[in-house]
Amino acid sequence: MASDPFNRSFSSFILVGVPGLEAFHTCLGVLFFCIYVLAMVGNGAVLLVLGLDKALQAPSHRFLAMLAVTDVVMATCVVPKMLAVLWLGSAEIGFVACFAQMFLVHSATAQESGVLLAMAVDRYVAVCHPLRYHSLLTGRATVGVGVAAALRAALAMAPLAALLAALPYCGPRAVPHSYCEHMAVGGLACAAPGPARLYSVAWSSLTVGADAALIAASYGLILRAVRGQRSCRKALSTCGCHLCVVLLFYVPGIVSIYAQQFSGAVAVHTQVLLADLYLTVPAVLNPLVYSARSRQIRRALLRALLPGRVCARGRRPWLSRHAHLGEGSPSCLPSESRR
C-alpha cells in the first residue's frame, strides 16, 4: 500500500448504522423509509408544479425550486445507503465513495442554509420594499444568488474533505455512524484530525451563525414593517412557521457538530440519530411550510391533480367575490394576491 495516494491500508469503510441500537435497525429503517418517501413526494410535487405552471415564475418560486432540489439531493445522498445498512446489512462503502458522500451531504447542508437566507431576504424585499421587488430580484439576480450559494458550499467543503482524505487510515475501518459523517470518519485516522476538526467547527459556527442572524434580522424587519396593520396576524403566522422550520434545520445541526467535539457528554446513538434527523426531517417539512401554505402553489397543485373539480369550483359565486376584491383572475383558479 505504499503507492496508495490516500495513505490507507484498506479500500473501504464499514458503516455501523446506529451504534447501540442494532436491535432496532429494522424499525429505524421503516422510519427513515417513510421520511424519505414523504420528502420525495413533497419536493417532487413542488418541482412538478413549478415546472409545469408558467405563472409560477416569481423569484420566490425559483428559490422554492432550489430548496426542493437541495432537499432531494441531501436526503438521497444519505437515506438509500442508510436503508441498505439497516435492512440488508450492506454496510461496506468504498473509500472514494465515502468521501464523495461526505462532500455532497455537507455541501447540500451549506447550500440549504444559503437558500434559506435568500428566501428570508426575498420576503423582506417583498414586504418592506414592494415597489423595488422586481427591479432588485430579477431573474438573473435570482440565478446568481443560487449559483453563489452553491459555490460557497462547494468551496467551503472541498478543503475539509481534502484534509480528511489526506489523513493516514491504517486502523479500524468501522465508521460509528449511518453515513460518512466527517468527524466519525476522521476519528478512524491514525493521526489526529486536528486541522480538519478545527476547520469544521470554525467554518460551521461562522456560516451558520451569520446565516441564522441574517434570517432572524430579515423576519424581525418584516414584523416591524407590518406591526399595527391588518396583515400583522397573517405575517406573524407565516414568519412563525418559517422560523420554526429554520430552527429545526439549524439547532440540531449545531448540537450535532458540538456533540461530536464533546462526545463524552452525549451518547453515540443520540448523536447519530440527531444527525440523521437533521438531514431528513427538514426535507419533509420544507414543502409543507414553504409551498403548501402558498395559495398559488396549492391551487396549481390541485389544478394539476383534479383539473375538472377545481375548474368547476372556480365557477361558484365565491370566485366572483374574490375577483371583485382584486384577488382573482380570468382563469378557473384565482391567482395569489400580491405579497
Side-chain angles (χ1 to χ4, degrees):
M1 299 299 292
S3 61
D4 187 349
F6 293 105
N7 196 19
R8 65 187 189 274
S9 59
F10 48 81
S11 60
S12 63
F13 290 104
I14 300 296
L15 296 174
V16 174
V18 184
L21 297 181
E22 288 80 5
F24 301 96
H25 274 188
T26 301
C27 297
L28 291 173
V30 172
L31 171 64
F32 285 106
F33 174 77
C34 293
I35 290 176
Y36 183 68
V37 170
L38 291 174
M40 293 302 104
V41 170
N43 289 288
V46 171
L47 291 172
L48 181 65
V49 169
L50 294 177
L52 294 179
D53 197 321
K54 301 303 181 183
L56 302 177
Q57 298 296 323
S60 58
H61 299 137
R62 294 191 180 98
F63 289 133
L64 283 175
M66 295 177 195
L67 185 66
V69 170
T70 304
D71 284 335
V72 168
V73 171
M74 184 159 51
T76 302
C77 286
V78 173
V79 178
K81 183 58 181 178
M82 182 193 305
L83 295 179
V85 174
L86 298 178
W87 282 350
L88 306 177
S90 179
E92 190 169 2
I93 182 171
F95 190 89
V96 176
C98 181
F99 283 96
Q101 183 192 51
M102 180 192 304
F103 175 80
L104 289 174
V105 168
H106 294 298
S107 295
T109 59
Q111 167 77 0
E112 179 143 342
S113 179
V115 174
L116 289 174
L117 174 58
M119 293 173 68
V121 174
D122 170 82
R123 292 299 82 205
Y124 163 73
V125 176
V127 173
C128 300
H129 302 282
L131 298 180
R132 302 179 59 193
Y133 180 78
H134 291 289
S135 63
L136 292 175
L137 292 173
T138 61
R140 180 176 295 181
T142 304
V143 173
V145 170
V147 171
L151 286 176
R152 184 188 73 161
L155 293 176
M157 282 310 304
L160 178 61
L163 286 170
L164 289 172
L167 292 173
Y169 293 91
C170 52
R173 61 187 184 123
V175 181
H177 218 290
S178 54
Y179 67 95
C180 288
E181 199 275 336
H182 64 288
M183 286 294 97
V185 173
L188 300 179
C190 299
R197 189 183 299 270
L198 179 61
Y199 180 88
S200 172
V201 173
W203 180 86
S204 300
S205 301
L206 179 62
T207 303
V208 170
D211 288 356
L214 290 172
I215 289 172
S218 297
Y219 284 118
L221 292 173
I222 290 172
L223 294 177
R224 188 179 70 174
V226 301
R227 185 175 55 189
Q229 300 180 14
R230 289 191 301 173
S231 58
C232 183
R233 180 176 297 180
K234 181 178 180 180
L236 285 172
S237 174
T238 301
C239 292
C241 290
H242 290 187
L243 287 175
C244 286
V245 174
V246 168
L247 289 174
L248 283 173
F249 175 74
Y250 283 114
V251 173
I254 295 173
V255 173
S256 178
I257 291 170
Y258 285 99
Q260 292 284 345
Q261 305 303 315
F262 307 99
S263 55
V266 183
V268 176
H269 67 270
T270 302
Q271 297 177 33
V272 174
L273 287 175
L274 189 63
D276 292 342
L277 293 173
Y278 160 65
L279 295 177
T280 54
V281 171
V284 176
L285 295 179
N286 287 338
L288 296 175
V289 174
Y290 288 105
S291 300
R293 287 178 61 86
S294 167
R295 284 189 302 171
Q296 196 172 3
I297 294 179
R298 189 167 62 246
R299 288 168 177 168
L301 181 60
L302 291 175
R303 183 161 61 242
L305 297 176
L306 303 169
R309 292 188 180 184
V310 173
C311 289
R313 289 181 61 189
R315 291 191 290 269
R316 292 182 180 180
W318 62 265
L319 177 57
S320 300
R321 181 172 69 254
H322 284 283
H324 176 71
L325 293 174
E327 298 179 5
S329 67
S331 63
C332 65
L333 278 178
S335 62
E336 189 178 37
S337 60
R338 69 178 181 87
R339 296 174 180 80

